[in-house]
Amino acid sequence: QVQLVESGGGVVQSGDSLRLSCAASGGDFKSFAMGWARQAPGKEREFVASINWNGRVATYSDSVKGRFTITGNGFEKTVRLYMNNLRPEDTANYFCAADRTNDGEFDFWGQGTQVTVSS
């Protein structure tokens, strides 16, 4: 059974940095793409970042590009999200996700970790 467990959320101030981590288990993740999405209260879940199966190609949403960095890969069964220069609009529940076929659609989700950025 595939499990994705996030850690590292918290409450920070605007301009601060935070690192999220995700540990994957219960499957062979060597060929999986991994990534992060977030959901703010009253809003739909939105894509944040992803990294392909070998960790060499990263993709970011426009809202976080230049501030967030994703590292890790399926082979390591770990993916991290380094978030710099955080803004109040980054406040959301952040979900780790895995894409089994690297087709851009996440197939597995973690439970989420809350990030709150105060102004």
Side-chain angles (χ1 to χ4, degrees):
Q1 181 179 355
V2 170
Q3 281 194 314
L4 302 173
V5 180
E6 304 95 337
S7 61
V11 179
V12 297
Q13 294 187 331
S14 182
D16 283 352
S17 299
L18 204 59
R19 185 189 76 174
L20 304 183
S21 296
C22 173
S25 62
D28 183 357
F29 291 85
K30 287 194 295 291
S31 62
F32 285 30
M34 305 286 290
W36 295 88
R38 67 187 182 186
Q39 187 168 20
K43 294 188 177 181
E44 292 187 356
R45 188 154 53 186
E46 64 171 356
F47 170 82
V48 174
S50 65
I51 193 160
N52 77 324
W53 67 275
N54 62 10
R56 294 179 182 177
V57 180
T59 304
Y60 300 93
S61 69
D62 288 342
S63 61
V64 308
K65 197 174 296 182
R67 299 188 298 122
F68 290 12
T69 301
I70 186 170
T71 65
N73 55 62
F75 184 80
E76 295 179 353
K77 295 187 177 183
T78 299
V79 64
R80 293 163 291 273
L81 187 67
Y82 295 86
M83 305 184 293
N84 296 318
N85 191 21
L86 283 161
R87 304 166 180 168
E89 53 264 40
D90 294 318
T91 295
N93 200 8
Y94 283 71
F95 297 90
C96 177
D99 173 5
R100 180 171 44 196
T101 56
N102 285 253
D103 64 355
E105 297 290 332
F106 291 128
D107 303 293
F108 304 101
W109 296 89
Q111 292 297 308
T113 184
Q114 179 66 34
V115 173
T116 302
V117 185
S118 61
S119 57

